[in-house]
Amino acid sequence: MRHFLRDDDLTPKEQHEVLDLALRLKQDRFAERPLAGPKTALVMFDKTSTRTRVSFAVGISDLGGSALIVNPGEAQLGEKESISDTAIIFSRMTELIVWRTGAHKNIELMAKHASVPVINSLTDDFHPCQVLADLLTVREHKDELQGLTAAYVGDAANNMAHSYLLGFATAGINLRLAGPEGYLPREDILAKAEQIAEQTGSTITVSNDPREAVTGADIVITDTWISMGQEAEEAARLQHFNGYCVDEELFGLAKDDAIFLHCLPAYRGFEVSAEVIDGPRSVVWDEAENRVHAQKALMVWLLRQAKQSE
């Protein structure tokens, strides 16, 4: 059974297939209806959500299905019932399991015992559905992905940075990450990304210099410095990330036709200035919408793989 738990669960060829399908589904919203019936897809949240919740609910509906949303605290999972038992039960009742949770090992355990596709809609280590939407957005604005250069500035140790490493390397995009000491990517994830990059002909650099990272880039990306659960670290993080704001001066070092990405929510005046995120080269609203189309394509692709394996 194929699952999507981290970005490198798709090969370069498979990632390209999913993005091609996403572009087609964006043009023809109801072209694929694998959940017609309606069949049920479970979308479970251990953390609050806006774009993930809406995009999966809309996408499942577009595919002919019914989204069963399980909000934080509404399931017995992990308290009265084990993840392994829950996975078996869910698999007998639903076509897909989408889970937004904390520890990545939890979703790996779910997938191990599930007999339907499991999709990671966010864990502490990865956010692969977001990166699929980002890649779709870049393709729309830049036509091709291979050979482009992206700069990610800020918290290079978070789940977004990890997914950019794996997802962009798979797409053949050169990635430069810049973050302060103590906020750099996990060594094992960096090593896997470098292994993929060797295969796709892309490069990866990690530094503490945001100006070096952004200079000449085709794509400039940042993310919040304070993610859910890190609120107590706010004062220290604001001090550590001083100089990492993507403002007009920093963004001006990129190519003249560079685009700006941010997965949202954004905090203007902190990781990005209002002039950049609300400016003419910001594509964050396309990026947010593309969560629907990228995830629809992913669900269609995974359901096809499941059917073929029967």
Side-chain angles (χ1 to χ4, degrees), residues 2-302:
R2 294 293 299 272
H3 307 289
F4 189 59
L5 309 185
R6 43 189 277 170
D7 307 77
D8 55 342
D9 283 339
L10 296 177
T11 67
K13 180 177 181 293
E14 290 169 345
Q15 185 193 74
H16 195 276
E17 289 174 1
V18 171
L19 293 174
D20 279 348
L21 180 56
L23 287 170
R24 183 166 70 86
L25 290 175
K26 189 168 183 177
Q27 295 299 317
D28 188 354
R29 180 174 170 181
F30 304 111
E32 299 281 351
R33 303 278 285 175
L35 296 174
K39 300 175 183 178
T40 300
L42 181 75
V43 188
M44 187 164 54
F45 294 93
D46 294 349
K47 297 183 177 184
T48 57
S49 168
T50 300
R51 280 155 301 283
T52 298
R53 181 185 306 272
V54 174
S55 59
F56 268 109
V58 170
I60 290 164
S61 177
D62 284 358
L63 297 179
S66 173
L68 174 58
I69 306 293
V70 179
N71 291 308
E74 291 183 346
Q76 300 181 121
L77 179 64
E79 294 183 6
K80 296 182 179 179
E81 198 150 26
S82 69
I83 293 173
S84 56
D85 287 356
T86 301
I88 296 169
I89 293 165
F90 285 169
S91 297
R92 290 185 171 222
M93 298 180 180
T94 68
E95 307 299 314
L96 286 163
I97 299 169
V98 181
W99 194 11
R100 181 182 180 95
T101 189
H104 191 75
K105 65 181 181 181
N106 291 343
I107 201 165
E108 290 179 329
L109 185 58
M110 178 75 77
K112 179 180 179 180
H113 293 276
S115 56
V116 298
V118 175
I119 296 174
N120 174 8
S121 58
L122 179 141
T123 62
D124 292 343
D125 291 344
F126 303 102
H127 198 357
C129 289
Q130 178 64 59
V131 168
L132 275 183
D134 290 6
L135 290 170
L136 177 60
T137 306
V138 174
R139 269 192 63 172
E140 287 182 315
H141 288 269
K142 297 292 185 181
D143 295 327
E144 295 293 334
L145 300 178
Q146 182 77 38
L148 293 174
T149 296
Y152 175 89
V153 175
D155 186 353
N158 68 10
N159 53 6
M160 283 307 307
H162 290 159
S163 274
Y164 283 125
L165 276 167
L166 298 178
F168 277 32
T170 300
I173 296 175
N174 304 311
L175 181 61
R176 306 170 186 162
L177 290 95
E181 288 297 334
Y183 299 92
L184 298 177
R186 242 171 54 192
E187 290 186 6
D188 61 314
I189 297 172
L190 177 59
K192 183 58 186 295
E194 290 173 337
Q195 179 184 349
I196 297 170
E198 287 182 8
Q199 299 169 1
T200 59
S202 58
T203 60
I204 296 169
T205 59
V206 178
S207 75
N208 306 123
D209 189 344
R211 296 177 66 86
E212 180 182 352
V214 170
T215 298
D218 300 287
I219 309 149
V220 178
I221 313 166
T222 191
D223 188 21
T224 178
W225 296 338
I226 306 163
S227 297
M228 284 183 287
Q230 298 172 340
E231 291 80 6
E233 305 172 26
E234 180 175 353
R237 283 176 169 265
L238 291 180
Q239 183 177 1
H240 293 155
F241 288 108
N242 183 35
Y244 286 85
C245 177
V246 180
D247 55 18
E248 287 182 294
E249 179 185 0
L250 184 59
F251 191 47
L253 298 175
K255 289 183 179 178
D256 290 342
D257 63 348
I259 57 175
F260 174 76
L261 295 174
H262 191 309
C263 69
L264 304 176
Y267 302 92
R268 291 163 175 80
F270 291 88
E271 75 272 9
V272 62
S273 69
E275 291 78 11
V276 171
I277 195 170
D278 299 320
R281 290 190 285 160
S282 172
V283 295
V284 297
W285 311 122
D286 294 342
E287 182 186 4
E289 178 194 340
N290 280 339
R291 288 290 300 276
V292 174
H293 312 300
Q295 289 162 187
K296 282 172 63 177
L298 175 66
M299 289 187 283
V300 170
W301 191 89
L302 286 171

